[in-house]
Amino acid sequence: MPAPPRSALLLAGLLASAGVAHFVAPRQFDATVPRALPGSPRAWTAASGAVELALAAGLVVPATRRASAHATALFFAGVFPANVKMAYDWRHRPAPVRALAYARLPLQVPLVLWARRAARAEG
């Protein structure tokens, strides 16, 4: 069963919230940027926040919703290495904090599926 547009709008809200958070509290995101990437972590934090805001805007507009939903699925898959890095870096932190970092790993799967479902609903 295709997802209603409301699902895409909820996904847009999630992305917009995350995008804003990248600019409001960038330090927590800087720490997840893999060291192998060129440039500064802050530049990657700002870029990923801007991408999240752009994807959110694309999901809101019916004419761009399908393409934005596909791009969102790719984005969620693409940021997975940062979540792996965060889980690894936080492996010695207190259990509640460590659990949060580990919980982010499997969360990527439903996010990718949610974005793909939103794309199918528009197709």
Side-chain angles (χ1 to χ4, degrees):
M1 177 169 103
R6 180 178 70 177
S7 179
L9 297 177
L10 290 171
L11 182 57
L14 175 75
L15 284 164
S17 298
V20 168
H22 279 71
F23 293 100
V24 172
R27 284 183 57 205
Q28 68 184 17
F29 297 100
D30 293 347
T32 67
V33 175
R35 290 182 191 95
L37 292 175
S40 73
R42 183 60 50 95
W44 284 100
T45 295
S48 62
V51 168
E52 286 173 327
L53 291 171
L55 291 170
L59 287 167
V60 171
V61 178
T64 59
R65 187 171 294 145
R66 185 169 190 241
S68 294
H70 282 299
T72 298
L74 291 172
F75 177 79
F76 285 144
V79 299
F80 185 72
N83 292 340
V84 170
K85 179 189 182 303
M86 179 179 167
Y88 179 79
D89 288 349
W90 289 17
R91 68 192 182 281
H92 300 298
R93 292 200 179 181
V97 176
R98 191 172 58 240
L100 176 67
Y102 293 158
R104 290 177 62 120
L105 298 175
L107 181 62
Q108 293 304 114
V109 173
L111 290 174
V112 169
L113 295 175
W114 185 7
R116 290 185 61 204
R117 186 172 174 225
R120 277 195 316 270
E122 292 301 312

